[in-house]
Amino acid sequence: MLSPLHTSPTAAFPKDFVWGVATSAFQIEGASASDGKGPSIWDTFCQVPGAIADASDGSVACEHYARCAEDLDMIARLGVNAYRFSTSWPRVQPTGSGAWNVKGLDFYERLVDGLLERGIAPYLTLNHWDLPEALQAKGGWANRDTAQHFVDYALGMHARLGDRVASIATHNEPWVMSVLGHESGIFAPGIKHRATAMQVAHHLLLSHGMALRALREAGCKASLGIVLNLSPIEPATGSAADRAKARLEDGRLVRWYMDPLFKGAYPADVLEHLQADRPVVQPGDMDIIQTPMDFLGINYYSRTVASAGEPWDVHKSGLEVTDMDWEVYPQGLTALLLRLHQDYTVPAMFITENGGAFKDPLINGQVHDANRTRYLQTHIEAVRHAMAQGVNMGGYMVWSLMDNFEWASGYAKRFGIVHVDYATQKRTLKDSARWYQSFLAQQAAAHLANAA
């Protein structure tokens, strides 16, 4: 029998709670060199031998660029009231500065207008990792000038879409861009240099604050914020070494981003650990980074277990493990939200990504993904547990709308609640999508009953 945390959520959330699905441009759009789009760092990285597990790339992906209208119809049938998507910087501004690509801008205008026509609020993310390659050639995010280019890009998108989008997030997961892209090098642009990674992290946060100030000065009415990937860090054992390791990892994943955004300083223990690899911070930078936000987006998938000795083996934990080798750990989401609520003065928080990758065979035209359905149920319930304890939550978005290009994993990992046959591009709602659809209908019905 499932514990109370693992029961299917039935109680109504607030009427204004935002329910959505999420995607990102590079993972679904395809058309990587069509209609004037310039190359991104991910287009380049995909060409590196061995960089992508199945040697694939994002040139076709889900063909969303060509199939946008039918995909919007599919989103509408789910019953969500929000869609989180990202704009591709090199699609709208091929070199990251200078001339704009009208055809790229037109595509996103059609996307936003199509969402509004279907009664769905557009939630825009400006940077979901696909930096224009032309800017990378000049140092990318390690070059402070890129922060100003990002501000110009943000203002350009605001000029075209700002009057119709409900929300604008500056960056998605700066930890991933900095650490995986510039320290371990397993993501684009494939650099392996810790000092560079930390400078990249600083410039991402700096550009976030600069963009918020510029957008507000331009009269932007959309809700403004940033999206962080966060998780609770737990020591593998009660040993002093494991506890110290967990504290440091928490500093690098959580506090390195939360502290400057909400307290105006990087955590002292992480700075001490970095020594010569700490970033160059100019006078006034921290004030800019601390510019107030309207919301904080949180991407949560699992906990992190820190071990000073042998790496933590998730398969020995006794918990269910996803196809990404991530533990299914919904109670960690409640713990994380409570911790953020207690340690920081945060605005409304949104779960901007949450979901699980599982092996999803399409059998007789159906995908019976009970594991993913259970994952969504338990994590939505985890959000409700946090709200019951006073945490200000604004919404929840499933990752992902559909199976897509999963970065360094290629097409081998499926996060979607909609199955995509990559050979034919046929979309098939999985059981998890039908559950989400039913759950949202139940929420709507509950609010109608309460209003009667």
Side-chain angles (χ1 to χ4, degrees):
M1 179 178 293
L2 297 174
S3 69
L5 179 61
H6 293 78
T7 55
S8 175
T10 54
F13 281 72
K15 187 176 181 179
D16 61 352
F17 196 80
V18 174
W19 296 101
V21 286
T23 64
S24 84
F26 190 82
Q27 293 180 272
I28 66 169
E29 286 180 0
S32 62
S34 300
D35 290 344
K37 178 188 174 295
S40 77
I41 57 174
W42 272 94
D43 289 305
T44 302
F45 190 66
C46 286
Q47 304 308 311
V48 177
I52 311 300
D54 59 4
S56 63
D57 57 42
S59 59
V60 175
C62 303
E63 288 188 348
H64 174 70
Y65 187 75
R67 298 171 180 266
C68 180
E70 68 176 85
D71 286 342
L72 294 184
D73 286 341
M74 179 175 65
I75 295 168
R77 288 195 297 272
L78 292 174
V80 299
N81 55 25
Y83 174 53
R84 179 178 176 238
F85 66 99
S86 73
T87 46
S88 166
W89 189 350
R91 190 177 296 284
V92 298
Q93 196 178 34
T95 62
S97 62
W100 294 87
N101 178 26
V102 174
K103 289 184 177 179
L105 291 168
D106 287 347
F107 168 71
Y108 292 114
E109 190 153 45
R110 291 194 302 273
L111 170 62
V112 167
D113 288 346
L115 288 168
L116 294 175
E117 289 166 5
R118 293 164 175 83
I120 301 168
Y123 277 63
L124 165 63
T125 300
L126 292 169
N127 173 29
H128 201 122
W129 310 351
D130 49 352
L131 180 76
E133 178 61 34
L135 290 183
Q136 185 61 43
K138 299 177 182 178
W141 286 109
N143 183 344
R144 191 180 174 97
D145 291 345
T146 300
Q148 184 57 55
H149 291 310
F150 179 75
V151 172
D152 296 340
Y153 161 55
L155 290 173
M157 297 312 299
H158 169 255
R160 193 66 181 259
L161 304 175
D163 60 335
R164 281 158 289 169
V165 297
S167 166
I168 299 176
T170 53
H171 300 295
N172 179 78
E173 302 186 348
W175 179 90
V176 170
M177 287 183 279
S178 58
V179 175
L180 300 190
H182 295 82
E183 183 172 346
S184 66
I186 60 174
F187 276 17
I191 293 170
K192 299 179 180 180
H193 191 261
R194 188 170 74 166
T196 302
M198 304 320 294
Q199 195 64 53
V200 164
H202 178 67
H203 288 159
L204 286 165
L205 291 172
L206 176 66
S207 67
H208 155 78
M210 291 169 61
L212 257 57
R213 292 187 174 191
L215 287 168
R216 289 199 176 113
E217 289 173 3
C220 182
K221 303 301 183 185
S223 180
L224 302 177
I226 194 171
V227 172
L228 306 178
N229 58 299
L230 302 175
S231 70
I233 315 288
E234 300 179 5
T237 70
S239 72
D242 283 355
R243 291 198 306 272
K245 178 73 170 178
R247 177 66 179 171
L248 177 61
E249 291 303 312
D250 175 80
R252 293 208 58 191
L253 176 67
V254 179
R255 291 181 288 118
W256 185 260
Y257 301 94
M258 290 295 295
D259 280 17
L261 288 168
F262 294 101
K263 296 181 178 180
Y266 288 114
D269 60 327
V270 181
L271 288 172
E272 182 180 357
H273 169 76
L274 291 172
Q275 297 183 358
D277 291 338
R278 64 183 64 185
V280 175
V281 178
Q282 294 188 12
D285 283 2
M286 303 312 293
D287 288 337
I288 295 172
I289 291 172
Q290 203 181 1
T291 299
M293 292 184 282
D294 301 312
F295 74 92
L296 173 65
I298 298 165
N299 295 349
Y300 175 85
Y301 292 94
S302 186
R303 67 172 175 173
T304 297
V305 178
S307 172
E310 291 295 318
W312 174 252
D313 184 353
V314 297
H315 296 282
K316 293 182 179 180
S317 68
L319 300 173
E320 184 180 8
V321 176
T322 72
D323 199 29
M324 298 294 291
D325 276 347
W326 299 343
E327 294 172 326
V328 178
Y329 200 71
Q331 56 268 48
L333 178 54
T334 303
L336 171 67
L337 295 173
L338 287 170
R339 181 265 180 99
L340 298 178
H341 173 70
Q342 292 164 359
D343 289 0
Y344 301 92
T345 304
V346 291
M349 291 187 281
F350 286 72
I351 302 303
T352 37
E353 289 182 23
N354 178 242
F358 297 96
K359 295 187 185 301
D360 292 331
L362 180 67
I363 302 173
N364 297 325
Q366 296 182 316
V367 178
H368 300 302
D369 57 338
N371 41 15
R372 181 178 291 103
T373 299
R374 184 169 57 251
Y375 184 102
L376 298 179
Q377 290 174 339
T378 57
H379 285 79
I380 289 172
E381 188 72 349
V383 172
R384 195 161 66 87
H385 276 290
M387 295 173 69
Q389 297 176 72
V391 178
N392 180 16
M393 298 299 302
Y396 173 92
M397 299 179 185
V398 173
W399 184 271
S400 172
L401 167 65
M402 55 186 164
D403 298 331
N404 53 41
F405 179 78
E406 189 49 46
W407 307 112
S409 298
Y411 296 96
K413 308 296 183 183
R414 293 179 178 267
F415 275 90
I417 58 173
V418 175
H419 180 276
V420 177
D421 182 327
Y422 296 116
T424 65
Q425 292 296 333
K426 182 179 180 181
R427 277 81 156 129
T428 301
L429 268 64
K430 303 177 186 179
D431 285 357
S432 58
R434 300 188 187 282
W435 174 83
Y436 194 42
Q437 185 181 53
S438 175
F439 168 72
L440 295 180
Q442 290 171 6
Q443 290 290 309
H447 291 306
L448 283 174
N450 290 336

